[in-house]
Amino acid sequence: MMYGSILYNCWAALLGFTVYFFIALQEPYALPVSILISSFIAALIVFVCTFLVRLFLGYVLFTPQEVALQEAKEVDAQQNMTEDVQVPLREQSSTVEFEEDNTEEIAKVVRTMMHKDDQSMLGRL
């Protein structure tokens, strides 16, 4: 996995082009065409070398979160299995039945809350 994006390569190529261009301009008998061609070649070389740098940074900064997460899940599963052996299982009630009984009560509570908010808004006006 590489670090960053290809935009880093473009910025590095632009920087390489600029540095080589200004260094080549300091020569007294340099031709403009040769300076431009050699600057583009330098930019291409820097562009390709940036891939290697990004690959190296990705390797160095890689943190195996998936492996650590999987190991943590395995440890939790082992702990849960030992707890399950010690504590007998309880009967599990169906949450669907529980929700069906309380929907009307929840609706009443929401209506009263909205009614109180409407009254408090009218009192402020």
Side-chain angles (χ1 to χ4, degrees):
M1 177 175 229
M2 284 193 187
Y3 179 77
S5 66
I6 196 151
L7 188 62
Y8 291 150
N9 290 57
C10 294
W11 281 109
L14 180 65
L15 182 68
F17 178 89
T18 305
V19 168
Y20 190 86
F21 183 79
F22 284 119
I23 289 173
L25 274 180
Q26 293 178 358
E27 294 180 19
Y29 298 109
L31 298 173
V33 175
S34 66
I35 291 175
L36 285 175
I37 292 173
S38 58
S39 296
F40 276 113
I41 291 172
L44 182 66
I45 291 170
V46 170
F47 186 83
V48 171
C49 288
T50 307
F51 278 112
L52 298 173
V53 171
R54 285 179 48 215
L55 185 65
F56 178 72
L57 285 175
Y59 177 74
V60 169
L61 299 175
F62 175 71
T63 54
Q65 295 175 354
E66 294 176 3
V67 174
L69 183 63
Q70 186 178 8
E71 289 176 359
K73 285 182 181 178
E74 289 175 1
V75 169
D76 288 341
Q78 289 175 355
Q79 289 176 354
N80 288 341
M81 289 183 72
T82 58
E83 290 174 2
D84 288 343
V85 170
Q86 295 172 357
V87 178
L89 294 175
R90 295 180 290 165
E91 292 182 23
Q92 297 178 354
S93 62
S94 174
T95 57
V96 175
E97 294 173 5
F98 182 71
E99 289 176 2
E100 289 176 1
D101 293 340
N102 286 333
T103 54
E104 293 176 5
E105 293 175 15
I106 293 172
K108 287 179 185 177
V109 170
V110 170
R111 280 189 212 115
T112 56
M113 289 174 61
M114 290 179 64
H115 184 65
K116 288 179 183 177
D117 285 343
D118 289 340
Q119 287 179 350
S120 65
M121 292 293 282
L122 291 175
R124 292 182 193 168
L125 295 176

